Amino acid sequence: QLKEEGNKYFQASDYEKAVQSYTQAIKLNKDKALQAVLYRNRAACFLKKEEYAKAASDASRAIDINASDIKALYRRSQALEKLGKLDQAFKDAQKCATIEPRNKNFQETLRRLGANIQEKLHIQFSTDLRVQKMFEILLDENSEKEKREKAANNLIVLGREEAGAERIFQNNGVSLLLQLIETKNAELILAAVRTLSGMCVGHKARATAILHYLGIDNICMWMSVDNEEISLAVCNLLQTITDCLLGQGKEEHHGKEESVVLDTKKDLRMITMCLLDMLVSKKVSGQGRDRALNLLNKNIPRKDLKDHDNSRTTFVIDNGLKKILKVVGQIPEMPDCLPLTENTQLTASVLLNKLYDDLRCDPERDNYRVICEEYIKSKIDPQDMDKTLHAIQMVSGVLQGPFDLGNKLLGMKGVMEMMVALCGSEREIDQLVAVEALIHASTKLSRATFIISNGVTLLKEIYKKTKNEKIKIRALVGLCKLGSAGGTDYGLRQFAEGSTEKLAKQCRKWLCNTSIDARTRKWAVEGLAYLTLDADVKDDFVEDEPALQAMFELAKTSDKTILYSVASALVNCTNSYDTKELVPELVQLAKFSKQHVPEEHPKDKKDFVVKRVKRLLKAGVVSALACMVKADSAILTDQSKELIARVFLALCEDPKDRGTIVAQGGGKALIPLAVEGTEVGKIKASHALAKIAAISNPDMAFPGERVTLKKKKRDGLQNYEALLGLTNFSGRSDKLRMKIVKERALPDIENYMFENHDQLRQAATECMCNLVVNKEDGNDRLKLVVLLCGEDDEKVQVAAAGALAMLTAAQKKLCSKMTEVTTQWLEILQRLCLHDNMEVQHRGLVIAFNLFSADKELAKKLVETELLEILTYIGKQEDDP
């Protein structure tokens, strides 16, 4: 029965269901002859599905049972040909031709395969010669530069093709590529490394052999050079090898290669140890250190937390956590500092965070904390301030990574006191490190209270006296941050002594000054994130085009603090933060009791906010936000996502701006924000999506994305705009209608059709009327649509009658069913046909026409009613186009 079922599916070209039927039959069957037929049939399905390895495997199983099964032999031949195994395919075709010598199809296949084999041998021979010629040109120092460049590029292209890669590998190519690397010529090194990368892609055995031949120490040494292009190329090579060892490369080879079992754990461990050693080696360039950190970030923590194996993470913590902490604790201004780039220490903090998040239980987290505490304690020495400085810098780095852990480290004896003491030091380097650490520490209110009582005076002193811009900007941000954390007693205006605009102007100057390093300029953004709470400041800021562009440019860097600060500043500028609504009675009561009542700043009123939004859109804020959304999850936190979602919602307020937002990638950027993050963030992003969806073509706004539906626990405006968006989608195509149905949206939409609110009911009805056109659904909701045609709301009537007209035209059986779902159907139809609104009347007449055309008995029944009189009356009226 299952076999016959599979045959029917196969004939109907439903190969997936055919495979399922044959697979079930194979599991149940015990008869060998039938088993061969089932495998042979399933092989035919796999051929149609272009799954050639599975087709060859099934055909082989059928041949094992019956060696002269001509259909199975021919199917295996076809599959092997597609897999590029022409010699094996030829043998199978030869057997077929021996069994049936007169079969023209088999003879033609033999001729074709024979010609293809000859061509392949010719190509292999010519490829060997080409490879040899290329290496001769590249290794000859007297070769012309143009010839060498051409040969290098050709070699890279060959390395990316399977046939070329195999020829290079078989002809001592790895040894010759190593010679190119040893020439110390940058162009030749790049060509050799890129060729090796191409050879490793998707081939575990070859990647393993290349790793062992080159040696992991050599690969790390080449990655350590102070040449960005070479360092990046070697990093890509090591990533490709790692992907292969982890089984993530696309393995396209079958047969012998599949049977080679390689134990990759030892090699992966060796790579990890070498990368960790790179972190603390003075011989490694800043670029190389960044590459090592990026590789660890990408390959150590689990991709999927459902996978219970986090052994790579625990291995790194046990063998390399102190090395990562050492990088985090480096102070660039000190002479013994390791070579670093602007991103090195933040990347190390991100790695600390990822490792901490990857731990599965409290004992693992306690072990992580103990290693950090012991290492930091070993660095605190009151007699050696330089050593202590590194300890404080480490705490600062951990606070930028796993914050909860950093907060625990702040509680260690003497750490906070040491920070405050360093602020009072005469040395600039002490002030710089201490101020930065205080800023990171003051995120928690309990810590901020300690700093407010002990460090505010020092910070103010430092800000006023220091001439070092780096320290000055950090002290300002520290004061702003404490002002925000400390509440009304330590408000921003107190710190700014009445002039936040003056401080903001200074921050904007620092932000636009490209001669200041990016690490210092990022503090200017953080300062503005606090200062833009002031309405005058935000108004001035959005008018400063260079400052906006400088901020957007910085937002493209991989820095968690910058992303959060930029998002915060934009939330302030668009007033997209939550505000408490003042109850008029309570305001009057407060005034009566002579209490202070906070008044809205004139520049926080709607006109000013709209003007700022338009200015930001013109400056290209959407492109910057779309770029921020693409950041790594360890950098783009849930809090940052929520802030970005708030900004997007504010930008979408005016329908005229939504086209611009879509054109600059805003629609697609909102999808991940609506799916992941805080609950508030997801709601804000979904609301923004609904606004865009209401007027945009979904293929343009959200190419290739799923439809998501607003759930019920939202306010009326959000529900209304979500329904408008779905109405727009459901009016586009059957494919989109099916997506909405599959998302189980119908019950929710139906619920809104019974809401007391007219606009909600109207939007839900219009949406449902678009959906019921879908042929695969709608029958069960016919009664609802008929009853909605009798509603008093004209817009609801137009939508419902339109749907009923389309339904009765599409399916004749619904015409009869319509007369059965409710006793009021005739009265409703007559009301539609006599309606004052021409749109409603037209729909009513189309429904009547459909009912008359559908069934003779139904037509007779209708003629006997008042409907004939109504139609005669309408027919005598003046013609209306």
Side-chain angles (χ1 to χ4, degrees), residues 471-506:
I471 298 171
K472 199 175 188 73
I473 191 169
R474 284 163 173 78
L476 168 62
V477 173
L479 290 170
C480 291
K481 199 164 186 178
L482 290 169
S484 163
T488 51
D489 294 337
Y490 291 92
L492 276 170
R493 289 219 171 254
Q494 183 183 341
F495 286 136
E497 290 166 355
S499 179
T500 44
E501 296 100 306
K502 191 177 170 186
L503 292 181
K505 195 174 179 182
Q506 183 61 59

Side-chain angles (χ1 to χ4, degrees), residues 11-73:
Q11 283 158 12
S13 302
D14 192 342
Y15 306 118
E16 188 59 52
K17 284 188 178 172
V19 166
Q20 288 171 11
S21 296
Y22 292 138
T23 304
Q24 277 181 281
I26 287 165
K27 285 177 185 172
L28 295 171
N29 178 53
K30 299 286 185 288
D31 179 65
K32 278 206 165 186
L34 180 57
Q35 198 81 341
V37 174
L38 291 166
Y39 276 125
R40 187 176 74 197
N41 288 2
R42 196 169 72 173
C45 296
F46 285 132
L47 277 173
K48 292 286 187 184
K49 290 178 75 190
E50 298 181 10
E51 294 178 20
Y52 302 117
K54 289 180 181 178
S57 172
D58 270 6
S60 295
R61 285 169 172 173
I63 293 161
D64 288 343
I65 297 167
N66 179 6
S68 58
D69 186 334
I70 197 160
K71 284 186 179 178
L73 282 164

Side-chain angles (χ1 to χ4, degrees), residues 442-455:
S442 61
T443 305
K444 281 276 184 189
L445 190 60
S446 56
R447 304 289 173 208
T449 311
F450 173 88
I451 299 161
I452 286 165
S453 55
N454 292 277

Side-chain angles (χ1 to χ4, degrees), residues 41 103 136 224 235 370 400 522 528 677 710 815 823:
N41 288 2
N103 189 314
E136 281 173 14
S224 303
C235 178
V370 168
Q400 292 174 78
K522 81 168 188 179
L528 284 165
K710 272 264 146 278
C815 295
T823 54

Side-chain angles (χ1 to χ4, degrees), residues 874-880:
I874 297 166
K876 287 177 182 173
Q877 286 184 335
E878 277 185 48
D879 189 33
D880 185 302

Side-chain angles (χ1 to χ4, degrees), residues 492-530:
L492 276 170
R493 289 219 171 254
Q494 183 183 341
F495 286 136
E497 290 166 355
S499 179
T500 44
E501 296 100 306
K502 191 177 170 186
L503 292 181
K505 195 174 179 182
Q506 183 61 59
C507 276
R508 297 205 313 266
K509 270 188 190 173
W510 282 323
L511 182 59
C512 297
N513 188 349
T514 48
S515 63
I516 299 175
D517 63 289
R519 194 162 165 245
T520 302
R521 284 167 69 215
K522 81 168 188 179
W523 291 107
V525 182
E526 193 163 349
L528 284 165
Y530 294 106

Side-chain angles (χ1 to χ4, degrees), residues 629 641-642 645 648 667-690 706 708-710 714:
V629 172
K641 285 179 192 171
E642 182 187 315
F648 264 125
K668 189 136 177 142
L670 276 162
I671 299 277
L673 298 176
V675 176
E676 294 170 358
T678 65
E679 200 55 38
V680 172
K682 288 192 283 189
I683 294 167
K684 300 284 181 191
S686 299
H687 193 181
L689 276 174
R706 281 175 47 164
T708 50
L709 177 75
K710 272 264 146 278
R714 306 286 174 258

